[in-house]
Amino acid sequence: MAVNKSEASLVSRLATASDVSALVALELACFNSDRLSVRSFKRFLREKRSDLYVAELGGVLVGYFLLLYRRGTSLARLYSLAVSPDYRKQGIAEFLLQQAEQTAATRNCVLLRLEVRQDNVAAIRLYQKLHYHEFAVKHDFYEDHSDAICMQKQIIQFDSSSVRRQVPYIQQTTPFTCGPACLLMVFNYFKPGQFVPYALEIDIWREATTIFMTSGHGGCGPRGLALAAVKRGFAAEIYLNKDGPLFTDTVRSEVKKQILQRVHESFRQKVQQKAIPVQLKELTIDDIKQLLHQGALLLALISTWQFDKSKAPHWVVVCAVDEHFVYLNDPDTEDIPWLSPAERQYIPVEHSVFNKAFSYGKNRLKAAIAIRNVKP
C-alpha cells in the first residue's frame, strides 16, 4: 500500500455523531445515487449489528467503511466504502478494506461479503488484488437499475504455525464419495503420498457404502469407513449417539428398510470381528479437542443444511479446534467452486454452527470416526 502523504498520520477510528455532517458531504462527493442520508448514518451509529469507521489523514476525514452483521451467522457485509475524490490513488481504499477485514474478524466473522457495480473497474481490481472472489450477480440492484457483482473473502485463517503439518486437501470427484475422499485426506496426512486418490476413491466407496436407498448412489456409513481404514493399516474408533441401521428415517419402503437392516448387520459383525471399538456417546467440542490432542483425526457426519440449505448427509474431516472455531476440510467443491485447494483447507466454522450441523435427519443422528496411525 502506497500513501503519498505521511502514512503515519493515516488512521482509522470509530465514527461518532460529530462526523455525520462530514460523512454526508463525502457521500455527495462520491456517489450520484444510493447515498446514505443523515438519518441512516445516525441509525448505523446506534445499531449494535454494524460498525462505522472513518479514516483520517492529517486530521482530515478522507474516507469511511460501514460493516453490517447478521445475527446467527459468521458473515459480515461491507455495506459501503468511500474515499474522498481529493485523496484517491493514495492507498486509502486498500487501507480501509484491510481495516474492515480486521474489524469483522474481531467479531469472529469468517467471511466478508460485498457488492460492487459491474462497471466499477477500479474497485473490482482492488478487491481481486486482495483475494476477493465473485460468487453471484444481483440484477437490478442499484437505484439506476444496474447490476451488482457479489464478492467475498475468507478473512479468518487457521494458524498453520501451530501444527507440524496440515491435513492435505483432496476433493471428492463424484457426488457420493465424500466419505472416501475424507479418508484419503487422513491417510495421506499420516502417510504422505502413499494413497493415490484416483485409484482408491471408488474402491473405498464400494467397501463402505450403506446402500442408502433414496435416489442416486449410496452413501458411506461410519462402520464401513472404519473398516476401510483398518484394512489399510490404521486404527479406528466409532462414535454414535444411536445404534441400529442408519439413514432409515427417509426410506418409506419396508422392503428397502429390511435390506438396510441386513447391510447394517453385516457391517456390525465385521466391526466386531476386527475389534473396532464402538462408543455410544455424543461427542462434544471438548471431546473432539481431546481426541485431536491425542493424535487422532476425525471424520464427522454433518447435515449440510447449515451451509447450503440442503439436507444431505455429508462427511468432513475435523482437523483442528480452537477457542472459537472448528476447522474442517470439506471435500465437496460444488458449493464454492471458485476457491483454490489451499483455501478449502481448515475452513473455520464457529462452535455453535458446528454443533447444529453435527447431526443428520429427524432422529439427529451423530456419527464420527477417530482415526489414528499405527506405527510399525
Side-chain angles (χ1 to χ4, degrees):
M1 179 179 65
V3 176
N4 295 334
K5 300 184 181 181
S6 175
E7 188 170 356
S9 63
L10 180 62
V11 296
S12 67
R13 61 169 174 81
L14 275 170
T16 66
S18 62
D19 297 314
V20 170
S21 59
L23 287 167
V24 171
L26 188 61
E27 287 285 286
L28 291 170
C30 293
F31 305 115
N32 295 321
S33 61
D34 297 276
R35 297 186 182 116
L36 291 172
S37 64
V38 171
R39 182 178 179 182
S40 295
F41 277 119
K42 289 182 177 180
R43 176 167 59 86
F44 287 125
L45 285 171
R46 297 190 304 268
E47 174 61 58
K48 293 182 179 179
R49 293 195 299 275
S50 66
D51 281 319
L52 179 59
Y53 274 73
V54 297
E56 289 184 330
L57 186 61
V60 178
L61 194 153
V62 296
Y64 81 88
F65 68 79
L66 173 61
L67 291 172
L68 303 183
Y69 307 98
R70 184 177 179 181
R71 182 178 295 158
T73 74
S74 298
L75 298 174
R77 179 186 177 197
L78 183 65
Y79 187 79
S80 185
L81 185 150
V83 176
S84 169
D86 296 333
Y87 289 86
R88 289 178 182 169
K89 297 184 179 180
Q90 299 185 40
I92 296 173
E94 183 173 343
F95 169 80
L96 281 168
L97 192 55
Q98 291 171 337
Q99 294 295 304
E101 292 173 7
Q102 294 173 21
T103 301
T106 63
R107 291 196 181 230
N108 294 327
C109 289
V110 173
L111 296 174
L112 180 57
R113 289 181 172 175
L114 57 88
E115 294 89 18
V116 58
R117 292 176 64 99
Q118 286 187 319
D119 58 0
N120 193 342
V121 177
I124 292 171
R125 285 176 179 169
L126 172 62
Y127 299 141
Q128 291 173 337
K129 173 186 174 182
L130 295 181
H131 308 294
Y132 285 79
H133 303 277
E134 178 181 344
F135 68 93
V137 174
K138 291 183 179 179
H139 298 288
D140 197 21
F141 183 74
Y142 295 102
E143 285 183 2
D144 62 359
H145 305 292
S146 60
D147 297 341
I149 296 175
C150 304
M151 306 182 80
Q152 71 178 18
K153 176 182 178 179
Q154 181 179 317
I155 56 175
I156 290 182
Q157 304 285 342
F158 177 71
D159 180 10
S160 60
S161 65
S162 63
V163 294
R164 183 166 61 91
R165 66 172 177 268
Q166 288 186 251
V167 180
Y169 181 79
I170 296 172
Q171 73 178 66
Q172 62 190 83
T173 62
T174 76
F176 49 87
T177 50
C178 55
C182 287
L183 270 189
L184 287 163
M185 291 190 235
V186 173
F187 293 170
N188 283 292
Y189 168 77
F190 287 123
K191 297 179 181 179
Q194 295 189 29
F195 298 87
V196 180
Y198 187 81
L200 289 174
E201 182 182 17
I202 297 300
D203 285 349
I204 293 174
W205 172 76
R206 292 176 64 194
E207 296 169 27
T209 181
T210 60
I211 315 179
F212 178 36
M213 294 183 303
T214 53
S215 59
H217 295 82
C220 295
R223 287 181 173 86
L225 291 170
L227 285 164
V230 170
K231 177 180 178 180
R232 288 162 179 84
F234 297 91
E237 189 170 14
I238 300 167
Y239 293 86
L240 297 167
N241 66 342
K242 58 170 286 187
D243 204 1
L246 308 180
F247 311 127
T248 57
D249 54 347
T250 56
V251 179
R252 297 179 180 179
S253 167
E254 287 301 320
V255 173
K256 291 182 178 181
K257 285 184 178 181
Q258 290 172 11
I259 296 174
L260 285 173
Q261 178 70 45
R262 292 169 62 185
V263 173
H264 166 74
E265 286 299 322
S266 175
F267 275 128
R268 187 180 63 81
Q269 291 175 13
K270 291 176 182 177
V271 164
Q272 287 181 341
Q273 291 168 3
K274 294 293 184 180
I276 300 173
V278 178
Q279 306 286 350
L280 289 178
K281 64 172 294 185
E282 293 196 10
L283 289 179
T284 65
I285 296 289
D286 287 338
D287 292 331
I288 292 172
K289 189 181 297 186
Q290 184 176 6
L291 286 167
L292 292 171
H293 181 72
Q294 293 170 351
L297 285 177
L298 269 78
L299 270 65
L301 183 71
I302 66 170
S303 169
T304 58
W305 178 259
Q306 291 294 320
F307 308 106
D308 60 11
K309 301 306 178 186
S310 69
K311 296 181 179 180
H314 184 58
W315 289 101
V316 295
V317 182
V318 179
C319 303
V321 178
D322 64 19
E323 182 182 357
H324 301 290
F325 299 99
V326 177
Y327 294 87
L328 307 177
N329 277 16
D330 183 347
D332 185 13
T333 63
E334 290 300 315
D335 56 339
I336 43 176
W338 59 86
L339 295 185
S340 68
E343 291 170 305
R344 298 177 192 278
Q345 283 182 294
Y346 290 71
I347 298 171
V349 177
E350 275 197 294
H351 288 184
S352 60
V353 176
F354 177 79
N355 283 331
K356 292 177 183 177
F358 184 32
S359 64
Y360 175 72
K362 295 179 181 179
N363 294 328
R364 306 293 293 172
L365 166 67
K366 290 192 175 184
I369 312 155
I371 300 173
R372 294 178 173 86
N373 194 15
V374 177
K375 295 182 181 179

